[in-house]
Amino acid sequence: QLVESGGGLVQAGGSLRLSCAASGRTFSNYFIAWFRQGPGKEREFVGAISWGAFSTFYADSVKGRFTISRDNAKNTVYLQMNNLKPEDTAVYYCGASLSYSRTYPSYNYWGQGTQVTVSS
């Protein structure tokens, strides 16, 4: 089970940190990815981290602004979002997959999502 938290309303240029807490099973061999879905849009890849290998991957649209990290002791993955833009407004989801992918059907486990709204 994955549970996201940390969303909210922020002004453009501001920051938020989202959390994805894993429970109920081990995700030690999984990639954890963040996706987002804006109004009327497809779910798009934001970034991913390998749970054990410390590798990170980012979409070009967020590279340099967003950072993914994880705390193994807390079974939690974080998405630090800086310099937020109105186009970052979306519901943000975390997902888990045994292999790295930028497409959401590849992910087997999902959280319920957390809303991020960036005002201009």
Side-chain angles (χ1 to χ4, degrees):
Q1 182 180 4
L2 301 173
V3 178
E4 304 96 336
S5 62
L9 173 64
V10 64
Q11 289 188 331
S15 298
L16 281 175
R17 188 177 79 159
L18 306 185
S19 299
C20 173
S23 64
R25 63 170 295 130
T26 177
F27 288 98
S28 59
N29 296 326
Y30 283 72
F31 286 83
I32 303 296
W34 287 96
F35 284 77
R36 65 187 181 186
Q37 189 164 15
K41 296 183 179 181
E42 295 254 331
R43 192 170 296 194
E44 67 171 349
F45 175 80
V46 174
I49 188 167
S50 61
W51 197 270
F54 303 89
S55 299
T56 54
F57 310 86
Y58 298 97
D60 289 343
S61 58
V62 306
K63 201 172 293 184
R65 300 188 298 123
F66 291 11
T67 303
I68 297 177
S69 62
R70 87 277 187 272
D71 184 334
N72 285 344
K74 296 183 177 180
N75 288 330
T76 301
V77 171
Y78 302 99
L79 178 65
Q80 177 67 44
M81 305 186 294
N82 298 328
N83 191 21
L84 282 161
K85 305 175 181 180
E87 51 264 42
D88 294 318
T89 294
V91 178
Y92 283 71
Y93 299 89
C94 61
S97 172
L98 283 171
S99 58
Y100 170 63
S101 173
R102 294 186 173 224
T103 60
Y104 69 85
S106 300
Y107 289 77
N108 311 102
Y109 301 93
W110 290 99
Q112 82 289 350
T114 185
Q115 176 71 47
V116 171
T117 303
V118 184
S119 63
S120 57

